[in-house]
Amino acid sequence: NAGVMQNPRHLVRRRGQEARLRCSPMKGHSHVYWYRQLPEEGLKFMVYLQKENIIDESGMPKERFSAEFPKEGPSILRIQQVVRGDSAAYFCASSPAGGSMNTIYFGEGSWLTVV
Amino acid sequence: QQQVKQSPQSLIVQKGGISIINCAYENTAFDYFPWYQQFPGKGPALLIAIRPDVSEKKEGRFTISFNKSAKQFSLHIMDSQPGDSATYFCAARTLGEAYKYIFGTGTRLKVLA
């Protein structure tokens, strides 16, 4: 499967724990995006990364959330000290370049449940 | 101004009928309008997309109609099938922030057999 790979698909965390969500972009894609989908809502942009660079994190909560896309390995979205309101589906997407001609392709998501 | 308003929230259509989902926007800087289809437990998949210099785009049973002056666009699904039952999201983005899609809130479509 050459699509965007996300894991874990489902994650349960207790309040106060850390959640780490991983995303491997499509082959040949160097741009990664994270979106969050709350129940019964559309997707909301969180962050845009290129290898070793955060390009735009304007959609990320200022506290507890961080993202990285290292030179080697998958992109990681980290949520520290999770709260119930963090329960959502987190989707990663990728594209070969950030220009206007390219569509982004989504993975199947990671569903985080905070209990 | 960054919102995309989508309606209806849910839609039930008989098999063979036409499904119509509407979206409206305010930001005239939006330059690309995709529609995504999402099945339960899956990620959104690109269905069809249009740019504002075109009034209509058709791909198979799916058609986007675009009204630039009214700042509205719609998805028409002809000959709707039970397999089309899914949630549909419209989206928009600007040239300057081509990576930042603004999504509508989704329409849950159910096509009755």
Side-chain angles (χ1 to χ4, degrees):
Chain A
N1 187 342
V4 178
M5 303 301 293
Q6 290 188 247
N7 69 84
R9 293 295 316 281
H10 298 276
L11 183 63
V12 179
R13 285 287 178 266
R14 295 186 184 280
R15 281 178 293 172
Q17 290 185 319
E18 178 179 284
R20 283 196 186 196
L21 310 177
R22 288 175 289 279
C23 169
S24 296
M26 287 178 70
K27 188 176 181 180
H29 288 192
S30 58
H31 296 227
V32 165
Y33 319 83
W34 286 93
Y35 281 74
R36 177 165 65 174
Q37 184 177 31
L38 294 169
E40 306 301 321
E41 291 188 18
L43 291 85
K44 302 278 194 241
F45 169 81
M46 298 182 75
V47 62
Y48 164 35
L49 310 105
Q50 297 176 19
K51 288 282 188 182
E52 300 183 285
N53 277 308
I54 297 174
I55 307 303
D56 183 339
E57 56 182 348
S58 60
M60 289 266 278
K62 296 288 185 277
E63 309 278 330
R64 304 186 296 108
F65 284 71
S66 63
E68 63 177 10
F69 189 17
K71 187 176 180 181
E72 302 290 337
S75 174
I76 306 247
L77 179 67
R78 183 182 293 110
I79 311 171
Q80 296 178 300
Q81 299 175 334
V82 296
V83 300
R84 288 231 171 100
D86 296 332
S87 296
Y90 293 83
F91 289 96
C92 173
S94 72
S95 73
S100 64
M101 298 302 292
N102 292 302
T103 299
I104 63 174
Y105 297 89
F106 286 90
E108 297 204 327
S110 290
W111 267 258
L112 171 65
T113 302
V114 179
V115 297
Chain B
Q1 194 181 18
Q2 282 290 84
Q3 282 186 325
V4 177
K5 294 183 179 180
Q6 184 172 347
S7 63
Q9 189 174 4
S10 62
L11 182 61
I12 299 175
V13 173
Q14 293 287 339
K15 180 182 175 182
I18 302 173
S19 303
I20 301 175
I21 305 170
N22 301 299
C23 284
Y25 64 97
E26 290 294 324
N27 188 348
T28 54
F30 286 148
D31 77 325
Y32 181 69
F33 302 87
W35 284 89
Y36 282 83
Q37 179 188 56
Q38 185 179 28
F39 293 104
K42 301 293 185 181
L46 177 66
L47 194 60
I48 186 172
I50 198 168
R51 295 194 182 277
D53 53 347
V54 176
S55 61
E56 185 175 281
K57 183 173 181 180
K58 185 176 180 179
E59 290 184 2
R61 296 184 295 109
F62 301 92
T63 300
I64 299 179
S65 296
F66 189 85
N67 186 330
K68 189 173 181 178
S69 61
K71 290 183 281 188
Q72 295 175 347
F73 59 110
S74 59
L75 175 70
H76 296 235
I77 306 175
M78 312 300 286
D79 187 26
S80 299
Q81 299 296 313
D84 297 331
S85 298
T87 299
Y88 292 82
F89 293 95
C90 61
R93 70 174 192 197
T94 63
L95 180 62
E97 292 183 319
Y99 51 86
K100 191 181 288 184
Y101 285 70
I102 310 298
F103 281 85
T105 51
T107 296
R108 190 172 294 176
L109 171 65
K110 184 175 178 65
V111 181
L112 302 176

